[in-house]
Amino acid sequence: MLSEQTIATIKSTVPVLEVHGTTITKRFYQLMFEAHPELLNIFNHANQKQGRQQGALANAVYAAAQHIDRLEEILPVVRQIAHKHRSLGIKPEHYPIVGKYLLAAIKDVLGDAATDEIINAWAEAYGVIASVFIDVEAEMYKKAEQQQGGWSDFKNFVVQKKVKESNQITSFYLVPQDGQVLPAFEPGQYISLKMEIPGEHNTHIRQYSLSSAPGQPYYRISVKREDAVGSRPAGKVSVYLHEHVQEGDVLLVSAPAGDFTLDRTDRRPVVLISGGVGLTPMVSMLASLVETAPDRPVTFVHAAVSGDNHALRNEVEELVATHAQAAVRWCYSRPTEQDRLAQAFHKEGHLDLAWLQSVVPERNAQYYFCGPQGFMQSVYGLLKEWNIPVSDIHYEFFGPAAAWEADAQ
């Protein structure tokens, strides 16, 4: 338990963190990687270069300071981050390193304003927060390893099949090299790939949603090739997977993780909304609902640029055809002439509230959505405008938590 004095001191730093949070986290990563370059084998370099990881950590530190007297309120966020940590291989011995350089960064950035009282209070608070993460993650590691066919850390998988799904997205079917049974997973969860890319000094870890239903003899991921656009560099792992990984190759894979999963205790209708490659967890959810909840109404809404960019369309339509209460709607922002001739879409342009209301038969439903950041912001805004309760809104964001997500908690 934290003392009242420590809590008061931490809360007094909230306004400072609001202003200087990202500067502190940038300095933190700089100091930590200089002292421990081996940690570059865990962290996403692209997110570091784009400042996304620094921003996400700043948001997390700010939230911890705000809720330091009622940490139970951020436990859902703790569990979400803990899932990612478990899939990356974060261990208890990493936490003292993070604490040391986070405190050093606070001192560096704030200078004389970071009094001994403030530094000592944050050291005490960090110890409590780190202990919560360590305990939660220990239970997750134990569960992952002890389930049937389970394992800890990373395991060798063979690429059984490689299938091009669209002009940007390719699926990889992965089976355990040792021939052991695959552990179950919840639709919406992801796995991590740990890649050693020729010419790269460090390993790269990326997380990909499982795009098939549970119970298959393989794990399937459907990966979008991220080419360079403007100032955004090409995705090292996605490009390598598309260009160099072939059937028969061996990849290092983590056990499934993630808390973006279907609420199976709720029997109300389900609305699945996706944009681009964000359809991957939605296809897994749809396939599971078709198999296990044939009486539960499902509306599947997907937004793509055009039919050329639309992956897994036939699979989704086949799944919907087998479910008496399922419907699918496609929205293309820039349909091709072929799309128009084939009447391959239901709406041209972007999702808007009027159209969404017209295709969702029952407002009282559970809403799940996933896609690029701009798409996520738009869909969240539409659902809030429609006065959908926050408890009925569920989403997965590919990458570190974005600033807009603070409003969604």
Side-chain angles (χ1 to χ4, degrees):
M1 295 288 292
L2 295 173
S3 68
E4 290 298 323
Q5 181 60 46
T6 295
I7 290 171
T9 302
I10 294 295
K11 279 189 165 293
S12 74
T13 65
V14 168
V16 177
L17 292 173
E18 188 173 15
V19 175
H20 299 288
T22 302
T23 305
I24 290 170
T25 55
K26 284 181 179 178
R27 182 60 175 152
F28 155 71
Y29 282 116
Q30 181 185 11
L31 291 170
M32 185 175 69
F33 290 144
E34 285 175 355
H36 293 274
E38 73 278 4
L39 294 180
L40 287 166
N41 291 311
I42 297 176
F43 287 84
N44 187 314
H45 301 187
N47 288 335
Q48 288 289 322
K49 289 179 181 177
Q50 296 172 47
R52 294 169 64 188
Q53 193 74 59
Q54 295 90 330
L57 179 58
N59 292 338
V61 172
Y62 180 69
Q66 281 185 306
H67 299 88
I68 196 65
D69 55 341
R70 50 191 194 283
L71 288 175
E72 66 278 1
E73 292 187 15
I74 62 171
L75 272 178
V77 178
V78 168
R79 292 196 64 81
Q80 182 184 57
I81 296 172
H83 272 287
K84 292 184 181 294
H85 283 180
R86 202 274 295 155
S87 76
L88 292 169
I90 300 294
K91 298 294 176 64
E93 57 265 28
H94 293 132
Y95 281 92
I97 297 172
V98 170
K100 176 180 178 179
Y101 293 102
L102 183 59
L103 294 176
I106 292 173
K107 186 68 176 176
D108 267 14
V109 172
L110 300 185
D112 292 341
T115 63
D116 288 345
E117 182 184 15
I118 287 174
I119 294 299
N120 291 336
W122 265 105
E124 184 182 348
Y126 177 81
V128 170
I129 295 168
S131 179
V132 172
F133 272 101
I134 290 169
D135 289 345
V136 170
E137 289 160 19
E139 184 60 34
M140 288 181 176
Y141 275 108
K142 181 179 178 180
K143 182 178 179 180
E145 187 171 14
Q146 292 186 351
Q147 65 181 320
Q148 185 180 17
W151 71 95
S152 183
D153 297 320
F154 291 85
K155 176 175 175 175
N156 285 336
F157 274 65
V158 177
V159 179
Q160 183 185 64
K161 189 164 59 170
K162 180 179 179 181
V163 179
K164 186 172 182 179
E165 307 286 5
S166 73
N167 61 3
Q168 291 181 307
I169 297 173
T170 293
S171 288
F172 298 83
Y173 292 71
L174 309 173
V175 297
Q177 189 180 43
D178 61 12
Q180 294 295 310
V181 65
L182 277 176
F185 68 89
E186 287 294 318
Q189 290 192 308
Y190 53 82
I191 57 175
S192 291
L193 299 187
K194 182 183 238 183
M195 306 290 295
E196 293 187 2
I197 299 175
E200 291 287 321
H201 179 70
N202 297 108
T203 58
H204 295 267
I205 302 177
R206 295 293 185 274
Q207 295 162 330
Y208 295 105
S209 294
L210 292 157
S211 62
S212 59
Q216 304 299 319
Y218 54 77
Y219 288 155
R220 185 181 72 178
I221 56 173
S222 302
V223 180
K224 178 185 177 185
R225 178 184 173 128
E226 298 288 353
D227 291 307
V229 177
S231 60
R232 189 191 74 191
K236 290 182 184 293
V237 175
S238 70
V239 171
Y240 186 77
L241 285 168
H242 276 249
E243 290 189 351
H244 299 287
V245 171
Q246 303 299 330
E247 293 175 1
D249 288 349
V250 176
L251 303 177
L252 284 169
V253 177
S254 76
D259 63 349
F260 177 62
T261 57
L262 288 168
D263 181 353
R264 298 184 182 278
T265 64
D266 192 327
R267 306 307 297 173
R268 288 180 297 159
V270 177
V271 181
L272 306 174
I273 308 172
S274 57
V277 76
L279 92 166
T280 52
M282 302 306 182
V283 174
S284 179
M285 289 182 176
L286 175 65
S288 178
L289 287 165
V290 166
E291 182 178 342
T292 64
D295 297 327
R296 193 173 180 186
V298 184
T299 303
F300 191 104
V301 177
H302 180 61
V305 175
S306 69
D308 292 339
N309 303 84
H310 191 166
L312 304 173
R313 174 178 175 139
N314 291 340
E315 181 175 329
V316 169
E317 290 180 337
E318 289 170 4
L319 286 168
V320 167
T322 65
H323 193 297
Q325 298 195 62
V328 64
R329 294 292 182 268
W330 311 128
C331 177
Y332 289 175
S333 59
R334 296 196 299 274
T336 65
E337 190 59 34
Q338 184 177 355
D339 292 331
R340 291 193 173 90
L341 291 172
Q343 297 182 324
F345 57 96
H346 303 94
K347 173 179 171 54
E348 181 172 352
H350 297 284
L351 290 179
D352 58 57
L353 183 55
W355 184 74
L356 188 62
Q357 291 172 328
S358 73
V359 300
V360 174
E362 174 56 59
R363 176 184 173 277
N364 182 22
Q366 289 279 341
Y367 294 80
Y368 297 82
F369 62 98
C370 184
Q373 183 169 341
F375 175 85
M376 301 279 287
Q377 289 174 290
S378 175
V379 171
Y380 184 72
L382 294 178
L383 296 179
K384 293 291 285 183
E385 185 180 349
W386 200 4
N387 293 317
I388 303 300
V390 171
S391 59
D392 291 341
I393 299 175
H394 316 276
Y395 57 91
E396 177 77 297
F397 180 64
F398 295 158
W404 68 272
E405 290 186 272
D407 297 329
Q409 303 299 335

